[in-house]
Amino acid sequence: LITGGARRIGAQIVRELHAKGLNIVLHYNSSETEAKSLVSELESSRKDSIIGLSQDLTDTGSISGLVSSAMQKWNQLDVLVNNASAFYPTPLPDITKQDWDDLMGVNLLAPLFLIKESARYLAHSKGCVINIVDIHAHKGLQDFSIYSIAKAGLAMLTKTMARELAPMIRVNGVSPGAIIWPEIEAHKNEHQAIIDQTALKRQGEPQDVANTVLFLIRNADYITGQIISVDGGRSVSF
């Protein structure tokens, strides 16, 4: 089950895991056109291997229904990838309660309740959870305080759930850096400056994140409670 799997990094995770033989439940919210297109594309290469489910993750009361619908397809859940995210600026003078509810809801509350509703199925399959965090969980982004707080919470959720759900379920995170530039026009002129802050002096690709997710699923049986930065060394650069 991959949340926010219709576009950007989520779509690449979907493609990579599907290509490696996993059956996919692709969650989406407003990206219906992209989701249906991706489902059709992957179904054409391997029949009965992917379904798309729509759900507003800020409605925590319906998350159990999303997980139940996912289970109905194959009666098994091996992996939960909490990728869905909301991202927009919230300068302090302009912050509203609605901003808090939206950003915390999608980025932190939804992953918590998805883990809660999925845990018994993941335990049965000795599966894993992978949370897509952000380097700004550790290095706050100016004017994006609520987003940064939510992602910091997701990082801690990863660590606490790794303790609580062990030994049956592994819980890890992937923390992308400069991968896909945010779709916010006012911040596009900062692109090169951010790339210059990375040790590798280049932008990463969604495939870099997808490769790390695949590693944590298939080749990391003794890794839990960890967050892997995929940021070109930005988090260790001055």
Side-chain angles (χ1 to χ4, degrees):
L1 170 57
I2 302 171
T3 67
R7 303 173 61 243
R8 295 165 64 86
I9 288 174
Q12 192 60 39
I13 295 172
V14 167
R15 287 190 171 95
E16 179 64 21
L17 300 190
H18 184 271
K20 295 303 187 290
L22 280 74
N23 293 329
I24 305 294
V25 178
L26 185 163
H27 157 269
Y28 65 95
N29 183 18
S30 59
S31 302
E32 181 178 8
T33 300
E34 294 93 334
K36 288 184 175 180
S37 176
L38 184 53
V39 168
S40 177
E41 170 195 328
L42 298 182
E43 271 285 283
S44 67
S45 65
R46 181 157 57 90
K47 291 293 184 184
D48 197 33
S49 61
I50 181 170
I51 59 170
L53 296 175
S54 176
Q55 180 64 54
D56 177 3
L57 294 181
T58 62
D59 180 10
T60 55
S62 60
I63 283 178
S64 61
L66 173 64
V67 175
S68 296
S69 296
M71 282 295 297
Q72 287 172 8
K73 179 62 177 176
W74 290 289
N75 296 313
Q76 182 170 326
L77 183 62
D78 302 284
V79 181
L80 168 63
V81 181
N82 283 311
N83 168 76
S85 181
F87 178 84
Y88 57 85
T90 52
L92 182 59
D94 303 326
I95 286 177
T96 67
K97 177 65 162 47
Q98 187 62 52
D99 294 332
W100 177 270
D101 290 344
D102 289 345
L103 289 164
M104 295 297 286
V106 176
N107 292 304
L108 181 55
L109 196 62
L112 170 61
F113 277 86
L114 280 160
I115 292 170
K116 175 187 175 184
E117 296 298 332
S118 302
R120 63 185 181 276
Y121 306 120
L122 292 168
H124 181 74
S125 63
K126 295 185 179 179
C128 65
V129 176
I130 300 170
N131 295 322
I132 305 302
V133 189
D134 191 301
I135 61 168
H136 296 300
H138 317 288
K139 192 175 183 179
L141 182 60
Q142 183 175 347
D143 293 334
F144 287 79
S145 58
I146 300 178
Y147 173 81
S148 299
I149 292 166
K151 287 296 188 178
L154 184 59
M156 184 53 67
L157 179 67
T158 302
K159 296 176 182 181
T160 56
M161 288 297 102
R163 292 288 301 272
E164 186 164 338
L165 299 179
M168 301 302 291
I169 303 170
R170 294 182 298 110
V171 184
N172 291 293
V174 178
S175 188
I179 303 294
I180 296 181
W181 196 240
E183 296 171 331
I184 299 176
E185 189 66 35
H187 291 265
K188 289 185 177 179
N189 60 352
E190 301 172 12
H191 194 180
Q192 189 57 50
I194 287 178
I195 291 174
D196 289 343
Q197 293 172 16
T198 68
L200 299 182
K201 305 302 181 189
R202 59 181 173 84
Q203 178 174 310
E205 301 295 334
Q207 187 64 44
D208 297 316
V209 177
N211 290 342
T212 308
V213 170
L214 181 64
F215 163 74
L216 287 170
I217 293 170
R218 290 205 162 169
N219 302 106
D221 285 347
Y222 201 58
I223 298 176
T224 194
Q226 304 304 307
I227 299 171
I228 301 177
S229 293
V230 182
D231 64 357
R234 186 181 177 200
S235 54
V236 297
S237 299
F238 294 104

